[in-house]
Amino acid sequence: MKSKFKKTLLTLLASVTMLSAMVIPPPPKVNAASDVTVNLSDQKQVIRGFGGINHPVWIGDLTAAQRETAFGNGENQLGFSILRISVDENPNNWYRELDTAKAAIAKGAIVFASPWNPPASMTETFNRNGNPSAKRLRYDKYGAYAQHLNDFVTYMKNNGVDLYAISVQNEPDYAETWTWWTPAEMLNFMKNYAGAINCRVIAPESFQYLKNMSDPILNDSQALANMDILGAHLYGTQVNNFAYPLFKQKGAGKDLWMTEVYYPNSNNNSANLWPEALEVAYHMHNALVEGDFQAYVWWYIRRQYSPMNEDGTISKRGDSMAQFSKFVRPGYVRVDATKNPNTNVYVSAYKGDNKAVIVAINKSTSAVSQKFVLQNGTAASFASWITDASRKVAAGSNLNVSNGAFTAQLPALSVTTFVAELGSGGGTGSGTTYEAETDTTLTNAVVETINAGYTGSGYVNFNAATDAAIQWNSVYCAVAGTKNLKFRYALESGTRNLDVYVNGSKVISNAAFTATGAWSSWGEKTVQVPMIVGNNTVKVVTTGTEGPNVDSINVTAQ
């Protein structure tokens, strides 16, 4: 069973998937049938990140070096920004999750948790389809179970891990060796008990994105209010079932995450097979473009079919994931792009941190010449990184932009990521700047004028304390919606993280502010946040022992 190694029930589903993946494509065209148009002002979903699960109770913990490889974003690192962990039914095992979780957070990742079973004292056996030993949560223990999840949240926080979210149940509809939940039981818990959980709540984590598990939640106002993230797994799910119209209709203000998958199979030593590993990038493309998912989370980070080999090196499947995870960073927004401009060519595009990112997959057995056209934004040139049969996220050529367009050669059976700094025509106006020292409330922070280059009458220096904060009290918006929030900051070395709150709600955890090189060298970081009509409060809070010096924020419409 997958609780130890992999899902046996899904072997047939994976085999069917592989048959379709291995069909020889029709003869490719050398020249693109159409251009890719990237519209930087046509925004889709905010990306939370990419990652996988660490499960030390079942397969052993990641080593210190493997944590660096997974969550670092340098050369030969995966750039993962999400870690999933398990809520063990035995609290005596909870300590085993701490080391990797703390290391991930230190690298700017967010951590969420999923349970497979409640404590044994809360469960009972019942007859399910002729199986008299099936297990479920006792109906009189729903409140106690909510407290059990709260206890895990508290334990992790008290030990240096501030969980981003916690799930109610891993795969409640695929529980041969763990705990079953019916849609009605999940609805009851979400409606009447989940509101007591002191963390963002993920539900229902159906193993195959079966909508019968989540439709009742979306159709019940109280259950929906208690759900922060709709989580789903994509084992055997067909691409034409990735879209979820009811979520688009009812899920305003909620996130949509793909919280577990391996693809296209979990065969032994399959992680480095090419072009099979290219299917991972294609699956990610479909999850992001067809499913509008905001997170993509693999099963085991380190396994013979996973992004990391058992020896801690990055596999070809990992390279495919890294073409997204290293460059499409948390808080970036997917923007509209021609998704299938040519036979076997698939494209998605993103923007954030004043960058444009384009990921192009060529499943053809011949190179393709592809033209890309930018709309509502300008760039001078695009850098490129390539993974194919012989390359592993290798730097490619720089491509100059002329008249708002560039043409690139997409190698056979490859994935290429293009990254550019956006110019002044990046699709947004100049916006409104709010100084950090004016009309703000400071907590364990002070206004300084020591380091040159600031604007206004000074900048704010966080005192060396956790939970130090700056709050801008009157950020005005004429139109509600997602806004670009650009920080002007300085940081001599290292990386420091801030939580971002809007109107009292945390909207971004552990936003990473990287070094600008000197305290008098001012850089910028842009994130996307929701705002209401009228005055808004914006607050940043240190999550380590320090933060960068902050000069101002600038708010623009997207």
Side-chain angles (χ1 to χ4, degrees), residues 319-511:
D319 296 331
S320 284
M321 290 191 72
Q323 293 281 158
F324 289 89
S325 58
K326 289 179 70 67
F327 307 103
V328 183
R329 302 302 294 167
Y332 282 30
V333 179
R334 186 172 74 85
V335 298
D336 187 66
T338 308
K339 64 184 180 182
N340 184 204
N342 188 26
T343 303
N344 290 320
V345 174
Y346 303 91
V347 176
S348 60
Y350 311 84
K351 70 176 184 180
D353 288 337
N354 205 45
K355 293 181 175 70
V357 180
I358 302 170
V359 184
I361 300 164
N362 178 17
K363 293 179 66 178
S364 297
T365 54
S366 298
V368 171
S369 179
Q370 182 64 61
K371 184 177 180 180
F372 298 85
V373 180
L374 295 182
Q375 291 182 342
N376 298 309
T378 62
S381 65
F382 278 82
S384 64
W385 285 266
I386 304 161
T387 291
D388 60 10
S390 61
R391 287 174 283 191
K392 295 170 65 66
V393 199
S397 302
N398 284 344
L399 302 156
N400 293 328
V401 177
S402 177
N403 296 320
F406 69 98
T407 299
Q409 297 298 311
L410 306 180
L413 298 171
S414 70
V415 53
T416 305
T417 303
F418 304 96
V419 181
E421 293 285 341
L422 289 172
S424 58
T428 61
S430 59
T432 304
T433 298
Y434 299 84
E435 297 291 341
E437 71 277 9
T438 304
D439 194 23
T440 53
T441 300
L442 306 182
T443 304
N444 289 326
V446 294
V447 177
E448 287 185 351
T449 58
I450 299 170
N451 299 302
Y454 59 84
T455 60
S457 58
Y459 58 87
V460 172
N461 181 1
F462 294 103
N463 292 338
T466 303
D467 295 328
I470 308 168
Q471 177 171 298
W472 289 263
N473 296 315
S474 299
V475 177
Y476 181 79
C477 289
V479 178
T482 301
K483 310 296 178 183
N484 288 319
L485 181 62
K486 181 169 66 179
F487 293 87
R488 189 171 190 266
Y489 74 98
L491 178 60
E492 186 173 55
S493 61
T495 298
R496 296 181 180 180
N497 299 326
L498 299 175
D499 287 343
V500 182
Y501 294 76
V502 175
N503 299 320
S505 297
K506 185 190 293 186
V507 294
I508 299 174
S509 291
N510 289 305

Side-chain angles (χ1 to χ4, degrees), residues 51-82:
I53 194 171
N54 180 55
H55 208 312
V57 175
W58 287 350
I59 65 165
D61 202 359
L62 295 178
T63 67
Q66 289 165 0
R67 295 166 195 149
E68 288 288 323
T69 299
F71 301 103
N73 199 22
E75 188 175 358
N76 296 319
Q77 295 179 328
L78 285 164
F80 281 177
S81 49
I82 298 179

